């Protein structure tokens, strides 16, 4: 009977106790690494906020339209704080991963290995999207101003098209970087863009025939009343 | 090749060495002006012969690579029958140099070559005149050079009679702004025809601006502002009418605004400490006998200007919200609803707009090219308003209106200074 009780209760508890004693140092290391990660992350955030403010990141993000976009999405924090938080978050995540690895659990190790390999792709994809957004805004605004100054009535539409095209291109590149349905997305993008161009060609060709004719006549024959003003 | 800082060909350097020194230099920058440059060269030759017969004079044509034979015209043009315009022959011969300039294409680079030759020849007085002028007379040379040679002035700006719709960037932005900033009433700060001392030419050459926009088309405002801000002695001479070869009216207005207004704003940055302290303005000494002149009529497409303004307000209004005062935006919205006959942008609103753009450029709120090119519809609106306001006005009335605008610029300067951080 005593032997039976030993086998059923005492031995497993003893074994669990031994494993727990073996595991405790790893757990303590993991907790310590986690705490260090948090402290380092917060310190880094404080330093980076000052650095980004010094180099005028907030002014740049204001000018490039990033702030406006963030505000549309309900984010009111300045870009310097957001980016500092992002870097601090990356540090904390990295230390959390190290902490989990310190636990020496096979399953976690495997998942972490895959996750770690994937992180650079996420970062690059984020940079591509951000760059695409800034470039799209810049080109969209340049096109808008040029079209308005040329007297093009649909300046806003052209500008938005340029913005969306550049952003779509950037998104496609980012998704390809993440390995999400790369072939499908490229094909979809090509079909959408091709379709848009075709649709506009048809619309202009059929609907705007008269407008195009009048415009060309004015431009080529010089029918448009011009100013003789010398501005300077 | 550069030798002693002169970026001209060897044969030109030899010519300069052969001439040695000169008293007067007249420079003519050109680019495809074969139709008009002959007349300009003749006027300059006659002017030098008539008014400075005993001075050693040189005429320099600095060309931007014309393909229409501009330089050939310069070489070939001489006045064969001096007796028809002069009572006495000149004593000193007139030297002529025609050379392509080097560097960034633009009027500024052409001027740089002229300054370099003036410096190398150690001239006492210089003048530059545009090569597309149809109204230049020999008297222009006297009026631009004499104040420098005889009265000790360093810079002589032109004063013309122009059609009321001519020079609208000058009248609505550059003159009022320059006057309010630096306190000198130089009526044509970007006139294009100037007189200056050899000392000032050397000063200009010493400035490190020849690889910037100044080398392109910002040179006129740069020369005027640099002279004023560095306390050189300034005057202006009445030259009569300014009539030049018609330019392509479709020439990119927004690029023009970007270059000229951009150069003015850049100079505001360079000379903040100078203009910040200036209050009000004072007239500058004026030479020449002012007389009424007949001017060629100018046709204006008012509807098109107003349409461009409305389009700009609709499409760019959101962008302007970032830096234009709300009161100005409200006023613009009201103006957009007016008919062509009643179209009006008040002086106060226009001054607020120009100062707001200057502050936005100073604070780098937006890419500078985008910012300044977005001024085009507003400028067209203001020009349309000016055309409507002065439709029945004579030259004196128009000048009075411009004077009123200048006064508003001066009164509101405190706002600009206050908001400059």
């Amino acid at each position: 009977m005593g032997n039976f009780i030993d086998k059923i209760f005492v031995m497993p508890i003893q074994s669990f106790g031994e494993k727990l004693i073996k595991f405790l140092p790893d757990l303590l290391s993991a907790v310590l690494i986690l705490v260090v990660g948090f402290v380092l992350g917060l310190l880094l955030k404080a330093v980076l906020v000052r650095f980004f403010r010094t180099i005028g990141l907030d002014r740049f993000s204001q000018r490039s339209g990033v702030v406006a976009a963030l505000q549309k999405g309900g984010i009111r924090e300045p870009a310097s704080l957001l980016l500092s938080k992002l870097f601090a978050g990356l540090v904390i995540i990295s230390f959390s991963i190290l902490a989990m690895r310190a636990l020496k659990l096979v399953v976690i190790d495997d998942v972490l290995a895959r996750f770690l390999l994937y992180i650079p792709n996420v970062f690059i994809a984020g940079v591509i999207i951000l760059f695409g957004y800034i470039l799209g805004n810049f080109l969209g605004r340049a096109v808008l101003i040029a079209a308005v100054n040329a007297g093009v009535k649909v300046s806003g539409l052209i500008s938005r098209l340029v913005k969306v095209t550049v952003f779509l291109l950037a998104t496609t590149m980012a998704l390809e970087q993440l390995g999400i349905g790369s072939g499908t997305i490229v094909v979809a993008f090509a079909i959408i863009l091709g379709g848009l161009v075709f649709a506009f060609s048809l619309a202009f060709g059929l609907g705007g025939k008269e407008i195009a004719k009048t415009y060309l006549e004015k431009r080529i024959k010089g029918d448009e009343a011009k100013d003789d003003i010398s501005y300077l | 090749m550069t030798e002693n800082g002169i970026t001209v060909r060897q044969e030109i350097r030899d010519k300069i060495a052969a001439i040695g020194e000169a008293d007067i230099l007249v420079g003519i920058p050109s680019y495809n002006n074969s139709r008009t440059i002959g007349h300009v060269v003749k006027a300059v030759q006659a002017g030098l012969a008539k008014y400075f017969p005993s001075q050693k004079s040189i005429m320099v044509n600095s060309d931007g690579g014309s393909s229409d034979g501009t330089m050939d015209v310069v070489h070939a043009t001489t006045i064969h029958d001096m007796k028809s315009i002069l009572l006495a022959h000149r004593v000193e011969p007139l030297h002529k140099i025609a050379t392509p300039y080097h560097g960034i294409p633009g009027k500024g680079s052409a001027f740089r070559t002229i300054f370099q030759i003036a410096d190398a020849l150690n001239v006492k007085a210089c003048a530059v005149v545009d090569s597309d002028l149809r109204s230049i007379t020999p008297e222009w040379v006297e009026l631009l050079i004499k104040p420098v040679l005889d009265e000790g002035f360093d810079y002589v700006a032109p004063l013309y009679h122009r059609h009321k719709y001519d020079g609208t960037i000058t009248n609505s932005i550059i003159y009022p702004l320059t006057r309010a900033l630096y306190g000198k009433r130089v009526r044509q700060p970007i006139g294009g025809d100037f007189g200056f001392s050899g000392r000032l030419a050397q000063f200009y050459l010493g400035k490190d601006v020849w690889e910037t926009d100044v080398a392109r088309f910002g040179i006129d405002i740069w020369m005027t502002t640099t002279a004023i801000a560095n306390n050189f002695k300034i005057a202006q001479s009445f030259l009569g009418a300014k009539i030049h070869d018609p330019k392509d009216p479709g020439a990119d207005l927004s690029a023009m605004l970007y270059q000229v207004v951009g150069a003015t704003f850049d100079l505001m940055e360079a000379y903040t400490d100078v203009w910040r302290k200036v209050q009000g303005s004072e007239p500058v000494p004026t030479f020449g006998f002012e007389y009424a002149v007949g001017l060629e009529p100018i046709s204006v497409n008012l509807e098109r200007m107003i349409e461009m303004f409305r389009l700009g307000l609709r499409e760019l209004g959101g962008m302007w919200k970032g830096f234009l005062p709300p009161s100005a935006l409200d006023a613009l919205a009201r103006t957009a609803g007016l008919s062509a006959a009643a179209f009006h942008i008040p002086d106060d609103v226009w001054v607020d707009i120009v100062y707001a753009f200057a502050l936005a450029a100073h604070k780098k709120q937006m890419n500078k090219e985008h910012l300044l090119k977005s001024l085009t519809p507003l400028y067209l609106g203001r020009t349309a308003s000016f055309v409507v306001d002065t439709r029945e006005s004579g030259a004196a009335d128009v000048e009075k209106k411009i004077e009123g605008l200048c006064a508003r610029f001066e009164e509101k300067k405190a706002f600009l200074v206050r908001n400059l951080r």
Side-chain angles (χ1 to χ4, degrees), chain B residues 401-416:
Chain B
K401 280 196 188 341
I402 294 170
E403 188 61 31
L405 177 67
C406 291
R408 301 304 295 143
F409 265 90
E410 288 176 20
E411 285 161 22
K412 289 195 162 215
K413 186 181 167 183
F415 163 82
L416 181 70

Side-chain angles (χ1 to χ4, degrees), chain B residues 52-74:
Chain B
F52 306 100
S54 54
Q55 314 274 4
K56 193 170 179 182
S57 304
I58 178 160
M59 191 178 67
V60 177
N61 167 229
S62 181
D63 188 75
S66 299
S67 55
D68 67 344
T70 297
M71 282 173 65
D72 298 335
V73 175
V74 174

Side-chain angles (χ1 to χ4, degrees), chain B residues 31 153 173 178 185 245 252 351 357 379:
Chain B
Y31 180 67
F153 283 95
I173 306 176
T178 309
R185 294 180 197 164
D245 219 22
D252 191 359
V351 177
F357 269 79
Y379 161 76

Side-chain angles (χ1 to χ4, degrees), chain A:
Chain A
M1 183 68 182
N3 220 357
F4 177 74
I5 289 170
D6 269 1
K7 265 189 181 171
I8 296 293
F9 295 107
V10 180
M11 277 175 72
I13 289 170
Q14 269 179 348
S15 163
F16 176 72
E18 279 164 14
K19 277 183 186 167
L20 191 66
I21 286 164
K22 260 178 136 181
F23 183 66
L24 262 182
D26 291 344
L27 186 67
L28 277 175
S29 308
V31 170
L32 194 66
I33 290 169
L34 207 59
V35 170
V36 170
F38 266 98
V39 172
L40 271 181
L42 292 175
L43 273 176
L44 185 73
K45 192 185 95 180
V47 172
L48 283 180
V49 165
R50 278 167 184 267
F51 172 72
F52 288 138
R53 279 181 190 159
T54 309
I55 62 167
L57 182 78
D58 290 336
R59 209 171 49 219
F60 172 75
S61 52
Q62 180 93 38
R63 277 192 288 154
S64 58
V66 174
V67 170
L70 291 174
Q71 281 176 349
K72 270 183 202 167
I75 300 167
R76 304 266 161 208
E77 288 169 324
S80 55
L81 186 62
L82 274 179
L83 214 59
S84 308
K85 276 184 175 176
L86 178 77
F87 279 109
L90 279 176
V91 168
I92 291 170
I93 289 172
S94 305
F95 273 81
S96 307
I97 290 164
L98 282 177
M100 282 195 267
R101 292 202 77 167
L103 296 176
K104 292 172 186 160
L105 298 174
V106 181
V107 182
I108 289 178
D109 267 5
D110 194 36
V111 171
L112 282 180
R114 282 194 211 169
F115 180 66
L116 279 175
L117 282 174
Y118 200 64
I119 281 182
N121 291 333
V122 175
F123 185 73
I124 292 168
V127 169
I128 290 172
I129 286 190
L130 183 69
F131 182 72
Y133 183 79
I134 293 172
L135 187 70
N137 262 353
F138 183 85
L139 293 179
R141 196 166 62 193
V143 167
L144 177 68
I145 294 166
V148 166
N149 290 341
V152 179
K153 295 270 192 305
V154 287
S155 310
L157 179 69
I158 296 171
S159 160
R160 279 191 290 278
L161 264 178
V162 169
K163 256 192 219 180
V164 169
T165 308
V166 174
F167 190 67
L168 266 180
L169 189 68
T171 310
T172 313
M173 286 164 70
L175 288 174
E176 210 176 304
Q177 181 67 34
L178 292 172
I180 301 171
S182 53
T184 320
I185 285 166
V186 172
V187 171
F189 178 75
I191 288 171
I192 291 171
L193 196 67
L196 277 176
V197 170
F198 184 62
F200 274 106
S201 309
L202 270 182
F204 280 119
L206 298 174
K209 205 167 72 181
E210 284 306 311
I211 298 169
K213 189 181 162 206
T214 318
Y215 176 80
L216 286 173
E217 269 175 2
K218 275 185 180 173
R219 283 277 155 172
I220 294 164
K221 290 186 185 170
D223 287 351
E224 196 178 26
K226 282 178 180 167
D227 299 319
D228 287 339
I229 287 182
S230 166
Y231 297 104
L232 295 176

